[in-house]
Amino acid sequence: MKALIVFAHPRKVSFTHSLVKRIHQSLEKKGYEVTVRDLYDLNFDPVLREDDVVFVEDGKFTRKHKEFPADVQVEQQHILDNDLLVYVFPSWWNGMPAIFKGYIDRVFQHGFAYSFEDPTIRDKFTNKRVIYFTPTGQPQNEDGSDTPINAAMRTLISNWLFNGNGAQLIDHVFYGRVPYKSTEELEAYLDDAEKRIMEL
């Protein structure tokens, strides 16, 4: 089995980096071959430009260029090559970091991640599983239910991104009040992430 981790956080000493490290180690314990894509280390260009944007012409989706840009093709191939897709990013202004949003804009385009015209696109994703981890500074409900912000992020991000191609969404896990937690409390979050990976 192969797993792809895509994540975004500019600080190397962040909890997000520690979380990615623990997830990576846990996946390897389970025997996964793991690929990690750090969007900041890659200096990934998040800007979707005119030549690459999808638009409708004569009732059909089209693009100026038939092929995706080379850097986008690299990321798309990583997605196709892996069985488990793991996305890790903090909640900033109640959403994902700009570089991650740009990754979605450029990589998950019509003709790759979904299609209203080509049914074979779905075949590439139906056996894939997806899990999200989002550290946040916001408090979480003690009963484990979603806060309004978490619910909105699920609706707009994790519940939406793969709903057109049949990939299986495992969960979108939120870890709250990260900047205010003690080392021991943060370690408990890391242990929880490991447990979730080991139980997949």
Side-chain angles (χ1 to χ4, degrees):
M1 296 287 285
K2 294 183 177 182
L4 172 67
I5 303 173
V6 181
F7 80 102
H9 200 296
R11 293 186 68 239
K12 300 296 184 185
V13 295
S14 66
F15 174 73
T16 299
H17 274 77
S18 297
L19 182 58
V20 168
K21 182 178 179 181
R22 180 66 68 88
I23 292 169
H24 187 174
Q25 292 170 341
S26 302
L27 286 167
E28 288 187 331
K29 283 182 187 178
K30 284 184 68 70
Y32 277 85
E33 178 183 335
V34 184
T35 299
V36 179
R37 304 296 284 172
D38 178 343
L39 297 183
Y40 280 98
D41 265 3
L42 292 170
N43 197 27
F44 184 81
D45 180 3
V47 180
L48 178 62
R49 292 178 169 81
E50 180 182 1
D51 286 353
D52 298 312
V53 73
V54 176
F55 58 95
V56 177
E57 187 173 71
D58 297 327
K60 291 188 177 182
F61 283 80
T62 187
R63 301 169 65 251
K64 182 175 180 180
H65 297 304
K66 291 186 178 180
E67 292 190 352
F68 295 107
D71 62 331
V72 169
Q73 290 186 48
V74 169
E75 303 309 318
Q76 291 174 339
Q77 193 60 53
H78 280 302
I79 292 170
L80 294 177
D81 288 345
N82 285 272
D83 311 292
L84 176 66
L85 309 176
V86 183
Y87 296 105
V88 186
F89 53 84
S91 171
W92 290 348
W93 289 100
N94 306 326
M96 60 180 67
I99 195 170
F100 208 103
K101 179 59 166 65
Y103 168 87
I104 299 301
D105 288 346
R106 296 190 65 217
V107 174
F108 284 77
Q109 288 211 49
H110 183 269
F112 170 71
Y114 70 100
S115 176
F116 299 118
E117 301 154 352
D118 183 358
T120 66
I121 297 297
R122 189 178 182 88
D123 297 339
K124 299 175 183 178
F125 286 86
T126 50
N127 292 323
K128 297 187 183 301
R129 295 179 298 157
V130 188
I131 187 168
Y132 296 77
F133 292 89
T134 296
T136 174
Q138 298 157 346
Q140 302 297 292
N141 293 334
E142 291 185 6
D143 65 0
S145 63
D146 273 343
T147 66
I149 292 172
N150 292 1
M153 290 184 70
R154 285 185 195 275
T155 299
L156 294 173
I157 301 172
S158 49
N159 289 352
W160 179 256
L161 191 56
F162 290 94
N163 74 343
N165 57 34
Q168 177 195 349
L169 174 63
I170 299 168
D171 202 354
H172 191 156
V173 182
F174 294 86
Y175 295 126
R177 295 189 58 78
V178 166
Y180 312 103
K181 293 289 187 179
S182 67
T183 300
E184 292 76 16
E185 289 171 321
L186 293 177
E187 185 65 28
Y189 279 163
L190 298 178
D191 290 344
D192 177 78
E194 179 173 357
K195 181 174 181 288
R196 291 173 184 273
I197 294 298
M198 300 307 289
E199 290 177 349
L200 288 179

